[in-house]
Amino acid sequence: MKILRITLTIITVWATNGMGNLQAQDQDPPLDKGSFGVSTNPAYFALGGYSVRGIYHLPKRWSFGLNVEAGFELPDDFRDLFFNDNQAIEVDWDYLVAAEARYRFSKESYDAGFYVNGSVGFEGWTVNEISSDADTSFDNWFSSFGVGYTWYPFKKKNFNIGVNYNIIFILNNTDGQLVGDTAFNIERVVPPTFIPSNILIGWRF
């Protein structure tokens, strides 16, 4: 009888504890631990450059990332967006390194749908005077703010496609400069374009 009473007591304690755990799970479901993703801008590779972006999605609303890209000659239209309209120069976008933050409107633990983003970074340029082949290099800090959309086309939420529109503020080295006999300067504000400067293809792990 003593063994039976001990056994029943153990079963009762175990069952009570188990029910308590189930109720706690119902009241406080475990939080998603977040996820990591990578993406790239294929247009940069088409222009002879590179684009690598890593981003970590926190469980609720926020994502943080690091972007390393550029390394190509700016096409004429984009050159005229970044630099005063000057047909006498060619511009190589040597590199860009930027930290990015996103706020997601979706309740998902990753950036499906619309988001707003901000970034701050450092970039380098080489400006070439076409007539003389003289060149000069400089770098600058920048910040940007924008809106984006990410679409996960398949049931499994890994592969994604996104677009992002940004307004860019150049924070230093915006005064006039010379390359050979040609004056130039980088614009203080670079507006978003109708063709997105960031067309992104990504994978979430």
Side-chain angles (χ1 to χ4, degrees):
M1 291 294 293
K2 185 175 181 180
I3 294 175
L4 181 60
R5 284 198 300 271
I6 292 172
T7 303
L8 288 173
T9 300
I10 292 172
I11 292 172
T12 302
V13 170
W14 174 80
T16 302
N17 186 56
M19 289 299 291
N21 287 338
L22 286 174
Q23 290 176 354
Q25 289 176 6
D26 289 340
Q27 293 171 358
D28 300 304
L31 293 174
D32 191 311
K33 294 181 179 179
S35 60
F36 177 75
V38 294
S39 63
T40 187
N41 186 338
Y44 287 9
F45 286 98
L47 292 168
Y50 56 91
S51 171
V52 180
R53 297 179 170 215
I55 191 162
Y56 185 75
H57 307 294
L58 295 175
K60 291 185 178 181
R61 303 291 187 181
W62 287 96
S63 300
F64 296 94
L66 181 67
N67 310 331
V68 180
E69 49 195 0
F72 57 89
E73 182 182 328
L74 287 181
D76 291 349
D77 290 342
F78 285 98
R79 179 200 62 206
D80 294 342
L81 278 175
F82 279 88
F83 290 80
N84 60 315
D85 191 1
N86 191 330
Q87 305 302 313
I89 60 173
E90 294 176 338
V91 179
D92 290 332
W93 196 7
D94 296 328
Y95 64 87
L96 175 150
V97 179
E100 179 185 359
R102 296 180 183 179
Y103 180 80
R104 313 185 299 266
F105 293 106
S106 169
K107 293 181 180 179
E108 300 287 354
S109 61
Y110 51 93
D111 63 340
F114 287 100
Y115 62 85
V116 291
N117 67 292
S119 65
V120 61
F122 193 70
E123 60 191 349
W125 309 90
T126 297
V127 179
N128 176 68
E129 184 183 45
I130 297 172
S131 61
S132 69
D133 209 30
D135 62 61
T136 186
S137 298
F138 74 99
D139 46 45
N140 62 265
W141 289 93
F142 71 91
S143 63
S144 69
F145 301 92
V147 61
Y149 184 86
T150 305
W151 176 46
Y152 287 80
F154 305 119
K155 186 175 181 181
K156 191 172 182 181
K157 304 302 182 185
N158 296 121
F159 178 74
N160 57 83
I161 303 170
V163 294
N164 185 255
Y165 291 87
N166 287 282
I167 183 170
I168 302 168
F169 299 93
I170 306 300
L171 303 179
N172 67 316
N173 287 339
T174 57
D175 295 335
Q177 301 185 57
L178 278 176
V179 55
D181 296 322
T182 301
F184 73 92
N185 67 277
I186 190 167
E187 303 287 359
R188 293 176 183 271
V189 179
V190 181
T193 59
F194 288 108
I195 301 174
S197 57
N198 290 322
I199 303 171
L200 301 172
I201 296 176
W203 186 268
R204 188 176 71 91
F205 297 95

